[in-house]
Amino acid sequence: MLHRVKLTTGQHAQMIDITAQVQDAVRQEGVTEGMVLVYCPHTTAGITVNENADPDVVHDILMRLNELYPWKHPGYNHGEGNSAAHLKASTIGISQLVPVADGRLLLGTWQGIYFCEFDGPRQRSFYVKVQKD
């Protein structure tokens, strides 16, 4: 089954830990061994896996993305004015594939799955597809 998870972002740029929602989809499916695909259907948001123990990591990622892709740049041509959000989303990517073992996401000790908002606040969603081996 395909799970659609809705969320509301509260900031212009933020990373929201969605690990629990993805693990819940695994539990609902009753899968003990397999894979989970987490997919973002938006052009100004993405999905990544990174450290979820120290909030400074999220701060540092967002800070560096803002340095690489400033909101205003004289070379941007996109009429909506959110070129930076599109660039950040393309850099982060729109999906992650995570193995499942013993009914749990096979993440490292400090890893979490993040929904990355780059053009908020907005109503968003992401999809979780659990595949049994």
Side-chain angles (χ1 to χ4, degrees):
M1 178 175 18
L2 184 64
H3 299 260
R4 181 177 183 215
V5 181
K6 296 178 183 180
L7 61 107
T8 301
T9 63
Q11 298 174 20
H12 179 71
Q14 69 184 117
M15 292 171 63
I16 300 168
D17 189 341
I18 59 170
T19 310
Q21 291 99 317
V22 176
Q23 181 63 56
D24 190 48
V26 171
R27 183 192 52 74
Q28 288 176 28
E29 294 292 319
V31 171
T32 56
E33 303 291 325
M35 300 294 286
V36 173
L37 175 68
V38 183
Y39 170 75
C40 173
H42 307 289
T43 61
T44 58
I47 303 289
T48 195
V49 172
N50 215 298
E51 182 172 334
N52 68 352
D54 182 350
D56 287 338
V57 173
V58 167
H59 169 271
D60 293 349
I61 290 170
L62 292 173
M63 177 196 69
R64 189 65 176 125
L65 284 170
N66 285 331
E67 289 172 356
L68 290 171
Y69 307 116
W71 195 251
K72 296 192 184 286
H73 187 282
Y76 291 158
N77 288 327
H78 182 51
E80 291 180 11
N82 61 351
S83 292
H86 290 280
L87 292 164
K88 292 171 187 178
S90 288
T91 299
I92 292 295
I94 60 167
S95 66
Q96 291 290 316
L97 188 62
V98 180
V100 174
D102 296 321
R104 307 272 315 147
L105 296 168
L106 192 58
L107 293 168
T109 302
W110 309 113
Q111 287 182 316
I113 304 169
Y114 286 93
F115 183 92
C116 303
E117 172 65 77
F118 300 120
D119 196 19
R122 291 181 181 240
Q123 296 294 318
R124 298 289 198 170
S125 61
F126 62 92
Y127 292 92
V128 179
K129 176 66 175 170
V130 183
Q131 184 67 43
K132 183 178 179 180
D133 276 349

